[in-house]
Amino acid sequence: MIDIASLKVELESRIAASDTPADILKSKEFRELYASIPTLAVDERKEFGQKVNELKETIARAVAKRQEQLSAKELPAIDITAPFDVNAAMPALLPSDQGTIHPLMNEIETISDIFNRMGFVTEESREIDDQYHMFESLNFPKGHPARDDWDTFMTVETDASGDPLIAPAHTSTMQNRVMRKYHDNLENNQPIAVIVPDRTFRNEDLDARHEHTFYQVEGVYVAKGVHAGMLIATLQAFLEEYYGRQLEVRVNPFYFPFTEPSFEFALSCPFCDKQGCNICSQSGWIELLGCGMIHPNVLKEADIDPTIYTGFAFGCGIDRLVMMKYQIEDIRHLESGKLDFLRQFSA
Ligand code: PHE
């Protein structure tokens, strides 16, 4: 006679190892068990039949449990920390095993390359700086009202003089450093010609045109006899190369403590030829950057004699440039890590 207890142990271990556990319910052992019932003595049949039924129920429960386990295994792993719909779109998650370069980084390469061909060297900024480089070195003395215009993020850490360290709100924090680093160029009759494309931060209300983290490219050019015409020509040449077409520029007077005179620089909208469109808010012009002739106090602070040398500086928002180039409608896409957005630039 079949030993029900040991059969139960055996069937359970087969279920645990099986990918199609339902088959076990139809196994020949059950058929044999049922077939053996009529061969038993009449008074044994009832008890034995009950045991067989109990076994069948136990095994059916084990099968159901195993099936549940198996179907849980079939679900893709869910990354609850992932943004947006990546879990729904697993197979197309990345265009390649290595991922791709972020569109902003690609554009920074392009921008850098254009300026390098014009004779500028590229330097990097930093993500934490001190108030000397953010303000004092740029002719904003302590308490200067224009300090508030930059919506600077302060940290709880302080520098040697007890002022909070800051997240740089513009790349102009690098002006003093690059003028000092390339100071010897002037003695060798070479200009100081540097660009600094890097990350900047402002404590702003966010909307389609404002992001707390964004990129600027700073330009610094110092030599003998540098004048505002050279500034405008340099920027126009850069923008025409970047957009691959001729553009008109418009220069309006403006105020920055670190340049004198200071200008706001606009270009004719590359999308509508000044006819007015959504990208230029129907005005035909796009305000792009701040610039001007480096203030004599800023030159002096870098040990450059302003009676011998003059220079220009500019600071241009890179996100804005890139948004216009690719008609990106919301600046926040750029820092979002939104894969649907990034994939469009992955080719
Ligand atoms: N740093 C200025 C800004 O962020 C731009 C600027 C740079 C203006 C250099 C003049 C010279 O708005």
Side-chain angles (χ1 to χ4, degrees):
M1 209 171 81
I2 298 171
D3 179 352
I4 290 186
S6 59
L7 178 61
K8 175 172 170 276
V9 173
E10 197 208 310
L11 291 178
E12 279 174 343
S13 75
R14 266 161 53 188
I15 289 167
S18 170
D19 283 339
T20 52
D23 291 351
I24 288 163
L25 282 174
K26 295 181 232 126
S27 66
K28 69 173 187 338
E29 282 87 345
F30 279 110
R31 263 181 282 121
E32 280 168 20
L33 278 175
Y34 284 114
S36 69
I37 295 173
T39 67
L40 297 174
V42 177
D43 55 347
E44 284 171 5
R45 286 182 199 168
K46 190 170 169 211
E47 199 191 340
F48 189 78
Q50 249 167 16
K51 282 196 178 143
V52 174
N53 281 338
E54 268 166 30
L55 174 70
K56 192 134 195 206
E57 275 163 28
T58 311
I59 293 304
R61 276 197 301 275
V63 166
K65 216 166 135 198
R66 173 72 185 151
Q67 276 170 333
E68 234 172 74
Q69 265 177 9
L70 288 170
S71 62
K73 244 203 323 209
E74 278 159 21
L75 287 176
I78 292 176
D79 177 357
I80 54 159
T81 65
F84 307 99
D85 63 343
V86 294
N87 290 308
M90 269 314 217
L93 186 58
L94 291 173
S96 81
D97 287 349
Q98 273 74 44
T100 57
I101 309 237
H102 191 280
L104 273 175
M105 297 304 118
N106 260 331
E107 295 305 310
I108 286 174
E109 285 283 309
T110 307
I111 292 165
S112 217
D113 185 55
I114 297 171
F115 278 112
N116 295 165
R117 282 186 274 134
M118 292 201 271
F120 288 78
V121 295
T122 304
E123 289 284 340
E124 282 184 359
S125 179
R126 45 195 70 202
E127 304 208 340
I128 289 291
D129 212 330
D130 54 34
Q131 301 210 17
Y132 171 78
H133 289 95
M134 178 70 209
F135 298 122
E136 276 98 307
S137 72
L138 292 166
N139 198 36
F140 296 79
K142 278 214 160 77
H144 194 293
R147 284 188 174 212
D148 294 342
D149 295 345
W150 269 263
D151 300 312
T152 311
F153 280 116
M154 304 283 168
T155 73
V156 291
E157 299 296 330
T158 51
D159 63 14
S161 53
D163 289 327
L165 293 172
I166 49 107
H170 54 182
T171 41
S172 302
T173 46
M174 293 302 290
Q175 283 193 13
N176 184 272
R177 291 192 183 94
V178 301
M179 286 192 280
R180 288 184 177 283
K181 178 167 177 186
Y182 294 98
H183 197 280
D184 288 353
N185 287 14
L186 299 176
E187 271 94 80
N188 300 325
N189 256 331
Q190 295 289 316
I192 295 174
V194 186
I195 58 152
V196 187
D198 218 328
R199 238 177 186 182
T200 45
F201 310 89
R202 286 188 200 177
N203 185 5
E204 308 213 64
D205 289 337
L206 309 187
D207 62 30
R209 291 157 75 96
H210 296 93
E211 173 63 287
H212 51 67
T213 300
F214 58 102
Y215 285 78
Q216 284 191 333
V217 55
E218 190 80 7
V220 174
Y221 188 89
V222 183
K224 281 184 187 157
V226 178
H227 55 77
M230 294 158 85
L231 163 63
I232 294 162
T234 303
L235 288 172
Q236 182 158 6
F238 160 68
L239 291 167
E240 289 187 353
E241 182 70 16
Y242 184 70
Y243 288 113
R245 52 180 298 182
Q246 289 202 320
L247 299 164
E248 267 181 76
V249 300
R250 190 178 72 178
V251 178
N252 283 333
F254 202 71
Y255 172 73
F256 296 106
F258 37 100
T259 44
E260 181 58 36
S262 302
F263 309 108
E264 209 174 39
F265 193 96
L267 80 159
S268 57
C269 179
F271 300 106
C272 66
D273 277 325
K274 291 198 294 180
Q275 296 307 299
C277 67
N278 286 342
I279 293 177
C280 61
S281 317
Q282 309 305 327
S283 72
W285 293 92
I286 292 176
E287 292 294 345
L288 208 55
L289 57 92
C291 58
M293 300 304 292
I294 300 175
H295 195 288
N297 289 350
V298 175
L299 292 174
K300 273 192 238 162
E301 192 66 27
D303 291 334
I304 295 173
D305 185 346
T307 65
I308 303 177
Y309 300 101
T310 49
F312 65 71
F314 58 84
C316 174
I318 294 178
D319 308 66
R320 181 72 67 84
L321 274 186
V322 174
M323 285 169 74
M324 287 196 328
K325 189 170 182 183
Y326 296 105
Q327 308 202 19
I328 297 166
E329 76 290 358
D330 193 321
I331 190 171
R332 290 167 296 189
H333 291 326
L334 292 167
E335 293 283 327
S336 69
K338 212 174 191 173
L339 293 173
D340 284 347
F341 169 74
L342 295 173
R343 280 192 198 109
Q344 298 173 47
F345 298 89
S346 64

